[in-house]
Amino acid sequence: MNHPPHDSSPSYATYPWQPVPPPPTPPPPRAAPRHPALGNHRDLRVLRTAYRRQRRVATLTALGYFTLFLILSGCAPSLMNSEVSGGLTTGLLLGLVQLPVMCLAIALYEFTARRRLDQLAARLRKLAELEANRDHRR
């Protein structure tokens, strides 16, 4: 068992009747910026949400059709082997239609990006440039 040396100071105040020193003063609050920071901008959140929604719709369109094709292939082989016309089976037809569905998903993604998201991104880019110029002038 280790005992502290005899000359060590106690862990309590030597003179308890002395006043407690005041706590250190907190630093003064910083002045709030005149404009909200760009990272907290509402339009930026709207843009992120729109991109997320757009990615989900395009992905679910392409994967949903492919999943439907796989489920039909596994669960309904008689349907997939049925002949549509001239030796073309339903399975082959659905497999061939998969490429246009993918192209449609890509076209829809680009159309909505150009129509909605690019305008919002351009506006945010312009705001960021104005913010950078304003901060640079200070």
Side-chain angles (χ1 to χ4, degrees), residues 13-20:
T14 309
Y15 303 106
W17 59 85
Q18 287 183 337
V20 178

Side-chain angles (χ1 to χ4, degrees), residues 108-128:
L108 239 132
Y109 184 89
E110 290 203 10
F111 174 75
T112 56
R114 284 193 186 115
R115 188 162 181 231
R116 294 187 184 128
L117 302 177
D118 287 350
Q119 293 173 2
L120 187 56
R123 188 169 72 215
L124 283 173
R125 194 174 300 115
K126 186 175 180 179
L127 282 172

Side-chain angles (χ1 to χ4, degrees), residues 55-66 101-102 104-105 108:
R55 283 191 313 262
R56 286 180 185 160
V57 167
T59 302
L60 290 177
T61 300
L63 287 179
Y65 183 82
F66 182 68
V101 167
M102 292 287 284
L104 180 67
L108 239 132

Side-chain angles (χ1 to χ4, degrees), residues 6 8 26 28 61 73 78 104 118 136:
H6 294 292
S8 67
T61 300
S73 296
S78 60
L104 180 67
D118 287 350
H136 181 69

